Amino acid sequence: MVSSTTTTLLTLSPPPPDSSQFISKVNAVTRKHARLKLSVCRSSRLTASHTGVNDKLHCLSSEFGSLSEPIDRVKRLLHYASLLPPMDRSDRVPENRVVGCATEVWVVAHMDECRRMRFRADSDSEISKGFCWCLVWMLDGAEPEEVLMVENQDLVAMNVGLFNVKARSRVNTWHNVFLAMQKATKDLVLQQVEQEEQEQEQGKPFQFHHHSPSHTKV
């Protein structure tokens, strides 16, 4: 993963100890169901320019790492906040609220018919909106394995870097929104696994179903 060359203020907590086992299970599901993906998904991958999560993460880390002044990082986040599509009011509900953030942040996730994760996010804070845009840009359209392979420490290079309480709050925003996205991904993959097990018990061939948006409490 990307290693940061910048000095960071806070060290984010490591991933859960069982994450490697979960990712292995996800990988097994992926291999088993790869043949079931729709032909339109396969053709779109050949024609569309797909940048992997690692490449996007490296791009963001390099960009924020090149901004030595904290105010410049804040300005960059405010610029990205202006690019974030607004979320429907119907989605800005307590069930989609990301807990642990000083500001209100909402995340909605679902898995599309091509088995790619789709994320939407919003906040009542402009700086938090900037964080959300970066994370959505990085993870939206990725396969579940890519989302789950990102580690908390990979985000430290994007720390705004102010030596005060607000800085810690902003790091927590990165951390909590990212964890909400990973939790939603795990929940949706588990729904897929449970669906497969149920259909196997009933003697039916497995068919991949589109999974509706997931609530993201962490």
Side-chain angles (χ1 to χ4, degrees), residues 155-166:
L155 304 179
V156 294
M158 293 171 272
N159 184 4
V160 173
L162 301 176
F163 291 89
N164 53 31
V165 175
K166 288 185 178 180

Side-chain angles (χ1 to χ4, degrees), residues 13 15-16 152 173-184 216 218:
S13 59
N152 298 331
T173 298
W174 276 115
H175 178 67
N176 293 327
V177 175
F178 168 67
L179 287 184
M181 290 177 165
Q182 282 200 326
K183 181 181 183 299
T216 54
V218 293

